[in-house]
Amino acid sequence: MEADREWMYEGRIVNGMFSNKWGDKVDEFVAFALRHPECVNGGTAIRCPCTLVKCQNKKFLNVETVKVHLYKNGFVPDYYVWIYHGEKEVHQRCSRSVRVSVSETDQMVSDNMNHTTYHRMVCDAAGPEFNPDEEPNAEARNFYDMIRAGDKPVYEGNSKHTQLSAAVRMLEIKCRHKCSPAWFDDMSNFIQELLPPDNLMPLDFYSTKKLVRGLGLPVQVIHCCVNNCMIYWGDDNDLNSCKKCGHARYKQTVRGSGNRLYIRKLKVPYKKMHYFPITPRLQILYASTATANEMRWHSEHHMEDGKMCQPSDAPAWKHFDGCFPDFSSEVRNVRLGLFADGFQPFGQSGQQYSLWPVVVTPYNLPPDLCMKEEFMFLTVLVPGPTNPKGKIDVFLQPLIAELKSLWDVGVQTYDISKRQNFQMRSARMWTINDFPAYSMMSGWSTAGMLACPHCMEDSDAFRLIKSGKQSWFDNHRKFLPINHPYRRNTKDFIKNRKVTKQFPGVRSGDEILQDLNNRGLRKVMDVDAEVVNAAISKTCGWNKRTIFWDLPYWREHLLRHNLDVMHIEKNVFDNIFNTVFNILGKTKDTYKSRDELNKYCRRPQFAQNLVTSKYPDVPFVLNKSQKKDVLEWVKKLRFPDGYASNLGRCVDANKLKMFGMKSHDCHVFMQRLLPIALREFLPNRIWEPLTEISLFFKQLTSSSLTDEELRNLDEQIPVILCNLEKIFPPSFFDSMEHLPVHLAYEARIAGLVHYRWMYPPERYLRKIKHKIMNKAQVEGSISIGYIMDEAAKFASFYFKEGDPTLPLKEKRNEVYLDDIVDDDMFEIFKPPGKAIGAEGKRYLADNEYTAAHLYILMNCPEVQPFIDVFITEKRRQFPNLNDEVVNVVTEQEFPSWFEKYVHNRMARGRGRGSTLPGRTSFGTGSQASGMPDPGRGSGVDEGPQQTEDVVNVLQQHHQQTSPHHGPGIVMNDRETWEGEEGEDVDVGETSPEHPTDESLPIAQFDPTIDNPTKEFKKAYRWTQTKEAVKRVFYKHAASRYKDTVYEVKDKWLKKKEQDLSVPDHVFQEWRRRWEDPDYSKRCEKQSGNRRSERAGEGSGMSTHTCGSRSMREHERALTLKEGKKPSAPRLFRYTHTKGHDDQTFVDQRSRAANEMLAAATQAYCQSTSGSCDGAIGSSQSSAPPVDTNQIWYEAVDGKEKMPVYGVGSSTSSFYSHRRPDYSAPSSGPFSNLFSTMEDFQDAVRNAIQYQLADTERRMIDYEDDRDELCLRFDWLAKKCQEGGLHFNPDDLPRIVRRNVPATASTPAPAAAPAATASGSAAAADSSTPIPDISPYGPDTSQHHDDDARLDD
């Protein structure tokens, strides 16, 4: 065909005659269109491109009529691109061709039609026969109203929303958030106040519904018999009474009073059902480009590696295609699943009301859309208040009739993705129900000894003698291979019984239909059905002929009704859990089951003791302490967000059971927790079968499975059930414990479980339940809400400009990757998400820190090259290691190896001058600002330069991700601290007596060194820093060390668990002291003193108004406030009175102490013949000055306890004689804390390194504070000397040594103890001498607080 298409608009008429040349071109155009079947409707009809308003590429006509229209009217203007007739190449007037995408073509369609997005929405909802340019009829009036509303802006000047778009957006918001009509009205009124007066925004919910009523899909209201006998539909539509029970159709409503009574003419039925036709709802899926393409996914995808991922991959689907090739040849024909379930709309405590929705869902869609809420369609709403039970077929008649019509004839449907009409047909694949509803839908009774719908009459169930219940015990050996040893076992199953028969297999559809016909079962709609079916059901498991057999293809299905894995798994778990936990009323191990146990099995060890009349314990039941341990573990469990609910809420610690567990809770517990929870408490012969059944359900519910895997499961499940039969009594095995034997077979036939279980339907029913706004009219309320929801859902496809698209639902705690702007962030921190709840801080326990550290390293792509290096090195050293051992070694050793490896590279990089002298940095330019050099790699490849770049990136990331680090602080061994008044203080430098870092041999940092800290300290020491920094660091280090020791002690004394972070020989020494009777007695005494009521019985424990501040801090605050140091009574009154008013004391003890102080002061004044007036703190009195501190000491009996009451941690500030003597021998725990000085040094280094990062974040200059940790070290040095241990202070890291001369800042008083000779000698030899540190300075206000903690 020529590229020049000017002929379309030139030369049609020549000299008043139609041109033959032009006619030949038209024939070529028609032939071109017919060569593209996707643009042909019915084989001979194409879109007419003439200029008539009715045509213009919108209407399909036969080719001859199209030619006539073209000769008569010509082509529509500017139709150079034949996009409606199959053209993919765009020919322009110039002979140049340009390829366009499908999206561009669709945009051209939109432009040519001059339709907005919401115009397209209205036309899609109206269907392919709707022509917006024709004169409207009454039925199409709604659509014309919406088109006009789609052209009008909501107010003048608004270009974003029209009247229609604003209405459907408001409606969608209402439905999505489940808001009431009253909320909608109030919000509409509020919006009216915000908009200009002449706006077109709907005024209320009613006007919005009226505007968008055309978008709603149809619903039919059908009258029913009040006894569920029939529906007034079809041929019975004109009846006024039930043809089976004779009950009237309408209520006799009498109005008026007295003599003016009359019967209301309006007929009100006793009961009515709502039917939502399925055909228009399926057509909608092809009317929108959001879903039209997806409806063909099932035929366009291909299985990978034989893994089933969708029902179309299953044999049942393929078998149906083979039986009906004419149906499968059109891939757009729809396969449906149907599920029905009842619910109580008023809750458990309300009126008894059973409502049964029937829902269908298409299986053509891809896995991410299939079985989703947006594609579930409510079809039948079976009314309450009674359960329809077997009569549910009565209400399914309209649905079955429509399904038959869709199968036999189909319906013409417009596929917008291919822009053509086709005849859509539909077939129902199977039903999805729980086990009771299985009977209602299939006609096979699921109660009694024939409850299994697969075994049917071949069931071996029997009735127990004592309990009278049916048991499926020993009903699974027939599924085993014929030579399996369990078949010949006469001990562990029913005694003296061998099994030789085999399971005959599942019956086909033809066999079942023939059986139904032979027995003469009736459909429930038949007049004599109730009597006939009741008589037949006594001799077999059938109770009716289900209405689904009316579908012509129903017999050909390999699987017609699904066993619900969700409820089966829940019931199996409930039986296991309740029996193992021996839950009263729910356990299967009862007295009756014990009595009848040995009538069926040989288990005499569990029989009743005839002497004591008691039953022995069984090994599959946990004792009280074991149950308590399991429940405490469950209560502390935490799962990822959205993975499971909070199982801790289900724990009843008093009754030692779990309650209120939903189906998904049981699902998670069964598959993930059960093997772990019972591993330590049950023998292996019991734990292993329970683990096997757990793993069976876990693998069965996988998201992809192969036929081989399903065959293995089908072979394993009989063995698993037989192993359970060897453990539990016959009463344990009801029908739910038998049904798992058929689940793997159904998965092999029909495909993956999550397309055939009740989780999606149950969630959908919950949504339907929330639509009940009027409890007096339950069905009508649901119907209205559902129609509005459908309209909003359909409109939401068009909210995005351009082509319709499925609405994007943001999940909880989800953020988008676009929100993450830091490209240098490690990949493991990039996945979208946000914190749950308020932000908080806490210190990780050692095991938590180790687990988090390992997880980050193992899952960070940037670290993977280092992992490869580590594994390669390990395999080189130990060539015979298998993968399992390598994984274990990697988890245990890689974190520490990686740290040493990075430190080694960092040291080598600095040695080559990668940082500026005098002040440490990570580089200049982009690197100094935290940005890595874009020209450098980040892998561990050949050459050292690339490795250093990786380390550099790690350093920069650490600096970026530590917001507490200021510009003057860099986290490495050479650190800087921003000093006061802008000065830079170097807090890390190379030791002058040791070689520089670049001269260090690599072996010093080799990962195989036992204690690399020793090697590291030789090159790097903390020699100079601010005294405030040291003091604060020491204070926090000492506090954390004390807390750590307390936690280790508490963990051992309460749980008898040893903390693995403490060396074993050190821990044994600690343990010896903790278990010493004298130590325990002293601890109990101190604890009793803390809890004692010192002011007398009933006075309560002491309290104060200090808050979280210590007495020392209050003492300093008073000194600054009053200009002098307060006395002990002054400090007492300040911290023990409300509002610090010195009058209103906080408790009885403080009031009593104040009275004793007054009495003691009065007595002192009298004994010295002085006057008490103005004595306290007064310098004008002629009497000798009153020593108020000594009076307070004697008044509160301060000699009894180290911390004097009222002054607490400031005791040593007022009473110097109460200071501890560190030079004297002591029996405190530090005297025997370490067996060697090396252990002490290692412990100190670990504590110091552990505290460093946290201390830097919380540096506060406490000018008056002293260093408790240094006192500990000095005192410990003396104890080591006394014990004969070699101790050289120079061996300690400089970070723990005092560096300020005593004469400069803290001169020692004469009364203070001196340092040991060894310590002084060592200090003299050191390059940086250690001064003779006294515990206290001359100013008593600077003495350390709470000295008694030194011996804790």
Side-chain angles (χ1 to χ4, degrees):
M1 183 178 292
E2 296 179 5
D4 188 3
R5 290 179 177 169
E6 293 295 337
W7 65 264
M8 298 172 62
Y9 306 99
E10 298 176 359
R12 181 169 63 96
I13 299 177
V14 179
N15 297 325
M17 302 284 292
F18 289 114
S19 171
N20 292 333
K21 183 178 180 181
W22 192 87
D24 294 339
K25 295 289 186 181
V26 171
D27 292 339
E28 292 180 7
F29 164 77
V30 172
F32 176 83
L34 291 176
R35 289 198 298 269
H36 296 81
E38 68 274 10
C39 299
V40 180
N41 188 21
T44 59
I46 63 174
R47 292 182 184 271
C48 180
C50 76
T51 58
L52 282 179
V53 175
K54 296 181 180 180
C55 298
Q56 296 184 358
N57 286 321
K58 293 180 287 187
K59 194 172 184 179
F60 282 91
L61 299 173
N62 63 68
V63 293
E64 296 302 326
T65 305
V66 170
K67 291 180 181 180
V68 172
H69 280 211
L70 290 176
Y71 274 102
K72 186 176 180 180
N73 306 308
F75 282 92
V76 68
D78 295 325
Y79 189 52
Y80 295 101
V81 183
W82 297 346
I83 58 176
Y84 295 105
H85 299 86
E87 188 173 27
K88 304 300 181 186
E89 291 285 335
V90 179
H91 294 273
Q92 299 181 352
R93 298 189 191 186
C94 61
S95 59
R96 189 163 52 94
S97 63
V98 181
R99 176 77 63 180
V100 296
S101 65
V102 177
S103 60
E104 292 171 340
T105 303
D106 291 341
Q107 187 61 41
M108 291 178 184
V109 174
S110 179
D111 293 341
N112 286 340
M113 295 181 69
N114 196 25
H115 283 175
T116 66
T117 301
Y118 288 92
H119 278 165
R120 298 175 63 183
M121 178 184 71
V122 175
C123 294
D124 290 346
E129 301 301 326
F130 175 69
N131 187 353
D133 297 313
E134 292 181 350
E135 289 298 322
N137 54 31
E139 184 178 356
R141 177 63 61 184
N142 294 337
F143 294 102
Y144 286 93
D145 293 342
M146 286 191 293
I147 287 179
R148 283 192 293 269
D151 291 331
K152 301 175 184 178
V154 71
Y155 61 86
E156 193 66 29
N158 187 304
S159 59
K160 285 191 174 182
H161 281 289
T162 64
Q163 184 183 18
L164 176 62
S165 69
V168 295
R169 181 62 67 89
M170 282 286 293
L171 187 63
E172 192 271 340
I173 293 174
K174 173 195 177 299
C175 295
R176 177 155 43 92
H177 295 287
K178 306 177 182 67
C179 301
S180 65
W183 173 91
F184 193 98
D185 293 342
D186 293 341
M187 186 57 64
S188 298
N189 293 333
F190 176 68
I191 293 176
Q192 286 292 331
E193 298 175 4
L194 302 178
L195 298 180
D198 56 346
N199 70 84
L200 300 178
M201 189 73 183
L203 299 177
D204 51 22
F205 184 54
Y206 174 78
S207 58
T208 303
K209 287 196 302 181
K210 187 176 180 181
L211 179 62
V212 302
R213 62 186 180 274
L215 296 180
L217 296 173
V219 58
Q220 300 176 13
V221 179
I222 303 174
H223 298 172
C224 318
C225 173
V226 71
N227 297 318
N228 297 337
C229 302
M230 62 170 289
I231 59 175
Y232 298 94
W233 173 82
D235 296 338
D236 301 328
N237 189 35
D238 297 329
L239 297 179
N240 289 322
S241 61
C242 179
K243 62 183 180 182
K244 296 180 70 174
C245 67
H247 196 281
R249 176 179 182 178
Y250 300 105
K251 299 178 181 179
Q252 296 294 326
T253 307
V254 180
R255 293 295 182 90
S257 60
N259 297 328
R260 301 185 62 182
L261 296 176
Y262 63 93
I263 298 176
R264 187 180 179 184
K265 292 183 179 180
L266 180 63
K267 296 180 179 181
V268 179
Y270 278 97
K271 182 183 285 190
K272 55 188 177 182
M273 62 169 283
H274 292 76
Y275 175 63
F276 306 84
I278 188 61
T279 300
R281 288 163 173 82
L282 297 179
Q283 288 179 307
I284 284 291
L285 297 176
Y286 286 103
S288 172
T289 56
T291 53
N293 284 320
E294 306 293 353
M295 290 294 288
R296 299 192 303 272
W297 187 90
H298 68 95
S299 66
E300 297 172 354
H301 95 287
H302 301 284
M303 294 177 61
E304 297 182 1
D305 302 327
K307 292 185 177 181
M308 291 186 288
C309 64
Q310 208 255 2
S312 60
D313 300 330
W317 189 295
K318 298 175 181 178
H319 171 80
F320 189 82
D321 287 348
C323 294
F324 303 101
D326 58 330
F327 179 85
S328 60
S329 62
E330 176 54 78
V331 298
R332 290 172 290 189
N333 289 337
V334 184
R335 322 287 179 108
L336 298 173
L338 181 146
F339 57 83
D341 197 10
F343 66 88
Q344 165 65 274
F346 305 121
Q348 298 297 327
S349 59
Q351 174 189 353
Q352 293 301 311
Y353 200 100
S354 180
L355 189 66
W356 283 73
V358 180
V359 183
V360 298
T361 183
Y363 282 120
N364 296 41
L365 296 165
D368 58 331
L369 300 179
C370 193
M371 295 290 285
K372 294 298 185 292
E373 181 182 289
E374 292 81 5
F375 303 102
M376 292 185 179
F377 303 109
L378 178 64
T379 57
V380 178
L381 201 56
V382 180
T386 58
N387 189 330
K389 296 185 178 179
K391 294 182 179 180
I392 194 173
D393 291 1
V394 172
F395 303 95
L396 295 178
Q397 292 179 81
L399 175 60
I400 298 301
E402 188 175 8
L403 288 174
K404 288 176 64 177
S405 175
L406 284 173
W407 172 262
D408 295 333
V409 181
V411 61
Q412 190 180 49
T413 304
Y414 181 69
D415 182 0
I416 194 172
S417 64
K418 291 193 172 183
R419 299 188 296 277
Q420 64 178 190
N421 289 324
F422 73 100
Q423 201 71 11
M424 183 186 70
R425 299 169 63 194
S426 179
R428 194 174 71 84
M429 298 295 294
W430 48 58
T431 65
I432 307 170
N433 310 99
D434 57 15
F435 206 48
Y438 190 109
S439 174
M440 297 167 57
M441 306 300 287
S442 67
W444 180 267
S445 175
T446 55
M449 290 182 289
L450 301 179
C452 179
H454 285 284
C455 295
M456 292 188 167
E457 285 86 357
D458 295 313
S459 173
D460 296 326
F462 57 94
R463 190 178 299 276
L464 297 173
I465 298 174
K466 292 286 185 180
S467 60
K469 297 181 180 180
Q470 294 83 22
S471 174
W472 269 257
F473 180 76
D474 198 13
N475 201 15
H476 308 102
R477 287 195 283 172
K478 62 185 177 184
F479 296 94
L480 297 172
I482 194 64
N483 59 348
H484 198 281
Y486 280 176
R487 284 179 170 268
R488 302 183 297 274
N489 191 320
T490 60
K491 175 183 177 183
D492 297 319
F493 306 97
I494 292 182
K495 55 187 178 183
N496 302 325
R497 176 185 174 185
K498 296 181 180 180
V499 177
T500 57
K501 74 172 186 177
Q502 289 183 295
F503 178 61
V506 179
R507 298 185 186 182
S508 66
D510 290 330
E511 292 174 338
I512 293 176
L513 185 59
Q514 183 179 359
D515 187 23
L516 292 172
N517 293 333
N518 294 339
R519 295 181 185 275
L521 286 159
R522 304 284 197 271
K523 293 189 294 185
V524 295
M525 290 76 70
D526 297 338
V527 177
D528 59 344
E530 189 171 354
V531 177
V532 174
N533 291 344
I536 297 175
S537 63
K538 295 180 180 179
T539 61
C540 65
W542 295 108
N543 53 35
K544 69 175 181 179
R545 177 192 175 102
T546 179
I547 193 175
F548 294 120
W549 291 108
D550 292 350
L551 298 174
Y553 51 83
W554 193 243
R555 67 170 69 186
E556 300 297 338
H557 282 309
L558 296 182
L559 182 67
R560 287 161 292 279
H561 307 279
N562 286 278
L563 294 173
D564 177 33
V565 176
M566 182 190 84
H567 286 95
I568 294 174
E569 182 182 36
K570 181 183 186 305
N571 282 275
V572 171
F573 169 77
D574 285 341
N575 275 0
I576 292 175
F577 188 86
N578 293 332
T579 302
V580 171
F581 271 68
N582 196 25
I583 306 300
L584 183 63
K586 296 183 178 180
T587 179
K588 299 297 182 178
D589 181 33
T590 62
Y591 295 117
K592 291 182 179 179
S593 68
R594 291 290 190 93
D595 288 340
E596 63 196 7
L597 177 61
N598 283 285
K599 291 182 171 60
Y600 302 103
C601 312
R602 293 180 178 175
R603 300 177 189 176
Q605 66 273 25
F606 303 137
Q608 185 180 20
N609 189 321
L610 299 179
V611 178
T612 62
S613 299
K614 293 183 178 180
Y615 294 94
D617 294 336
V618 288
F620 55 78
V621 174
L622 303 182
N623 59 39
K624 186 174 181 180
S625 62
Q626 292 171 339
K627 289 189 283 187
K628 185 176 180 181
D629 291 341
V630 172
L631 293 179
E632 288 180 353
W633 173 71
V634 171
K635 198 167 185 178
K636 296 178 182 178
L637 279 177
R638 294 295 180 268
F639 296 97
D641 182 49
Y643 182 83
S645 64
N646 181 14
L647 293 180
R649 63 172 174 78
C650 303
V651 173
D652 187 342
N654 296 325
K655 297 182 180 180
L656 297 180
K657 66 176 184 179
M658 297 189 70
F659 65 96
M661 295 182 69
K662 304 298 183 182
S663 298
H664 192 264
D665 298 333
C666 298
H667 168 74
V668 172
F669 206 114
M670 181 71 176
Q671 297 189 12
R672 300 290 180 178
L673 306 181
L674 188 67
I676 304 173
L678 304 180
R679 180 65 183 92
E680 301 297 328
F681 304 120
L682 295 179
N684 281 344
R685 65 182 183 87
I686 297 175
W687 177 80
E688 289 176 356
L690 295 179
T691 303
E692 290 171 355
I693 192 67
S694 171
L695 296 177
F696 168 78
F697 280 109
K698 181 179 179 181
Q699 189 171 1
L700 181 69
T701 56
S702 299
S703 58
S704 62
L705 286 170
T706 63
D707 183 71
E708 181 181 359
E709 292 172 337
L710 290 171
R711 289 183 182 275
N712 291 336
L713 289 178
D714 202 12
E715 295 173 358
Q716 293 170 8
I717 186 60
V719 180
I720 295 173
L721 294 176
C722 289
N723 289 333
L724 292 175
E725 289 173 345
K726 295 167 63 178
I727 299 171
F728 295 105
S731 59
F732 179 86
F733 297 92
D734 54 24
S735 60
M736 286 293 127
E737 274 61 46
H738 167 73
L739 292 178
V741 78
H742 301 295
L743 296 181
Y745 164 78
E746 288 195 356
R748 281 179 51 204
I749 297 301
L752 300 179
V753 166
H754 58 268
Y755 296 105
R756 300 179 294 105
W757 61 5
M758 284 294 291
Y759 279 114
E762 292 277 7
R763 297 187 185 108
Y764 187 73
L765 293 183
R766 181 175 180 268
K767 178 182 177 182
I768 292 178
K769 184 177 180 179
H770 286 164
K771 297 185 183 303
I772 301 176
M773 298 296 178
N774 183 359
K775 293 186 177 181
Q777 301 293 337
V778 176
E779 294 83 3
S781 184
I782 292 177
S783 176
I784 294 174
Y786 177 71
I787 293 298
M788 288 293 101
D789 200 7
E790 271 192 327
K793 179 174 64 178
F794 176 68
S796 67
F797 291 174
Y798 298 83
F799 283 169
K800 184 178 179 180
E801 281 300 322
D803 291 333
T805 182
L806 288 177
L808 182 62
K809 294 166 55 177
E810 184 175 349
K811 298 180 180 179
R812 184 176 65 171
N813 303 318
E814 182 180 23
V815 295
Y816 294 103
L817 287 174
D818 296 340
D819 299 335
I820 302 176
V821 297
D822 188 359
D823 295 332
D824 298 322
M825 183 182 296
F826 286 165
E827 288 295 328
I828 192 172
F829 301 113
K830 283 187 177 180
K834 53 188 176 182
I836 303 175
E839 179 182 355
K841 294 182 179 180
R842 73 175 180 90
Y843 291 106
L844 294 178
D846 290 343
N847 57 342
E848 292 176 324
Y849 178 83
T850 302
H853 187 199
L854 180 64
Y855 177 83
I856 292 176
L857 292 179
M858 294 293 105
N859 293 276
C860 188
E862 290 84 354
V863 182
Q864 186 59 44
F866 295 92
I867 299 177
D868 296 338
V869 171
F870 175 82
I871 294 177
T872 301
E873 182 64 21
K874 286 297 179 183
R875 289 191 181 277
R876 184 185 63 81
Q877 297 176 3
F878 308 98
N880 297 327
L881 291 180
N882 57 37
D883 293 340
E884 183 177 356
V885 175
V886 169
N887 292 336
V888 174
V889 173
T890 303
E891 292 181 0
Q892 293 177 351
E893 300 181 9
F894 175 75
S896 59
W897 178 91
F898 182 55
E899 181 180 4
K900 301 161 191 172
Y901 188 93
V902 172
H903 283 173
N904 178 21
R905 298 305 180 188
M906 290 168 62
R908 295 175 60 189
R910 282 190 302 276
R912 283 188 292 271
S914 62
T915 57
L916 297 176
R919 183 176 179 120
T920 303
S921 177
F922 290 130
T924 59
S926 63
Q927 293 186 1
S929 63
M931 298 295 292
D933 187 349
R936 298 182 179 180
S938 60
V940 184
D941 203 349
E942 300 291 338
Q945 178 63 43
Q946 200 170 15
T947 303
E948 292 164 11
D949 292 340
V950 175
V951 176
N952 196 21
V953 170
L954 293 174
Q955 292 174 331
Q956 295 171 27
H957 172 71
H958 180 73
Q959 188 181 27
Q960 296 168 23
T961 55
S962 301
H964 50 272
H965 291 159
I969 303 176
V970 182
M971 288 294 291
N972 55 28
D973 51 84
R974 287 180 53 86
E975 303 196 3
T976 60
W977 177 265
E978 193 70 29
E980 297 180 1
E981 300 179 358
E983 71 169 316
D984 293 339
V985 181
D986 191 355
V987 297
E989 61 180 19
T990 304
S991 176
E993 70 271 18
H994 287 77
T996 59
D997 49 1
E998 65 177 333
S999 65
L1000 288 174
I1002 299 301
Q1004 288 187 342
F1005 293 92
D1006 192 277
T1008 59
I1009 295 179
D1010 293 336
N1011 192 350
T1013 307
K1014 294 180 180 179
E1015 307 299 326
F1016 188 81
K1017 76 178 183 62
K1018 293 179 180 179
Y1020 301 99
R1021 293 187 178 182
W1022 196 1
T1023 56
Q1024 293 181 359
T1025 186
K1026 284 279 187 177
E1027 279 304 306
V1029 175
K1030 283 187 176 182
R1031 290 198 301 270
V1032 175
F1033 171 76
Y1034 293 151
K1035 177 179 179 180
H1036 286 288
S1039 177
R1040 180 63 64 82
Y1041 182 76
K1042 184 196 73 171
D1043 294 342
T1044 302
V1045 174
Y1046 174 79
E1047 291 174 2
V1048 173
K1049 168 187 171 183
D1050 189 67
K1051 187 176 182 180
W1052 169 254
L1053 295 180
K1054 291 184 177 179
K1055 299 182 179 180
K1056 296 301 179 183
E1057 296 180 6
Q1058 178 177 345
D1059 195 310
L1060 301 181
S1061 64
V1062 180
D1064 186 66
H1065 63 279
V1066 175
F1067 181 82
Q1068 296 302 328
E1069 181 63 25
W1070 290 1
R1071 175 185 172 185
R1072 183 191 65 77
R1073 177 154 297 279
W1074 293 335
E1075 295 178 352
D1076 184 9
D1078 294 338
Y1079 177 80
S1080 301
K1081 186 176 180 181
R1082 186 168 62 254
C1083 290
E1084 291 176 2
K1085 182 178 180 181
Q1086 294 172 352
S1087 176
N1089 291 337
R1090 288 192 296 268
R1091 296 192 302 266
S1092 63
E1093 299 176 332
R1094 302 192 178 184
E1097 186 176 357
S1099 62
M1101 294 177 61
S1102 301
T1103 184
H1104 52 74
T1105 58
C1106 294
S1108 60
R1109 300 175 65 186
S1110 67
M1111 286 290 186
R1112 285 300 309 272
E1113 294 180 63
H1114 280 286
E1115 180 188 348
R1116 295 171 193 148
L1118 273 177
T1119 302
L1120 295 175
K1121 179 180 179 182
E1122 299 178 353
K1124 62 179 181 179
K1125 179 180 176 181
S1127 63
R1130 172 70 181 114
L1131 180 61
F1132 158 71
R1133 292 192 182 96
Y1134 182 79
T1135 57
H1136 288 75
T1137 56
K1138 297 180 181 180
H1140 309 303
D1141 60 359
D1142 292 351
Q1143 296 179 358
T1144 310
F1145 291 92
V1146 295
D1147 60 0
Q1148 181 176 345
R1149 184 184 181 190
S1150 59
R1151 286 192 297 270
N1154 186 61
E1155 294 173 358
M1156 288 188 292
L1157 173 64
T1161 304
Q1162 185 69 24
Y1164 177 82
C1165 293
Q1166 294 176 357
S1167 64
T1168 58
S1169 301
S1171 173
C1172 294
D1173 298 334
I1176 300 178
S1178 175
S1179 60
Q1180 300 177 358
S1181 175
S1182 60
V1186 179
D1187 189 352
T1188 55
N1189 292 342
Q1190 183 63 25
I1191 294 177
W1192 176 256
Y1193 182 83
E1194 297 175 355
V1196 296
D1197 199 11
K1199 62 182 179 181
E1200 288 295 324
K1201 290 297 171 188
M1202 175 63 195
V1204 175
Y1205 172 70
V1207 293
S1209 58
S1210 292
T1211 297
S1212 59
S1213 176
F1214 297 104
Y1215 310 108
S1216 59
H1217 60 282
R1218 300 303 306 273
R1219 302 168 189 161
D1221 183 5
Y1222 288 94
S1223 63
S1226 172
S1227 60
F1230 282 99
S1231 61
N1232 295 308
L1233 192 59
F1234 301 98
S1235 57
T1236 65
M1237 179 52 56
E1238 184 178 359
D1239 295 335
F1240 162 71
Q1241 294 173 4
D1242 291 342
V1244 168
R1245 290 189 197 95
N1246 292 337
I1248 295 302
Q1249 293 170 359
Y1250 186 72
Q1251 292 297 319
L1252 181 56
D1254 181 65
T1255 303
E1256 285 181 340
R1257 288 197 299 268
R1258 300 194 288 178
M1259 286 292 188
I1260 303 175
D1261 192 356
Y1262 289 115
E1263 300 247 350
D1264 298 326
D1265 201 5
R1266 295 287 301 188
D1267 183 9
E1268 178 179 355
L1269 193 58
C1270 282
L1271 298 179
R1272 292 174 184 262
F1273 293 147
D1274 294 335
W1275 173 80
L1276 187 57
K1278 298 176 177 61
K1279 296 302 176 185
C1280 294
Q1281 179 67 21
E1282 293 171 0
L1285 294 177
H1286 172 70
F1287 174 74
N1288 184 0
D1290 189 46
D1291 289 338
L1292 293 178
R1294 292 297 180 97
I1295 196 171
V1296 300
R1297 292 195 234 153
R1298 300 296 299 269
N1299 193 27
V1300 182
T1303 58
S1305 59
T1306 55
T1316 60
S1318 62
S1320 300
D1325 295 336
S1326 176
S1327 59
T1328 304
I1330 300 178
D1332 185 7
I1333 303 174
S1334 300
Y1336 307 100
D1339 185 0
T1340 57
S1341 64
Q1342 295 183 1
H1343 295 166
H1344 194 274
D1345 59 302
D1346 199 3
D1347 298 308
R1349 299 194 312 177
L1350 294 174
D1351 286 330
D1352 284 348

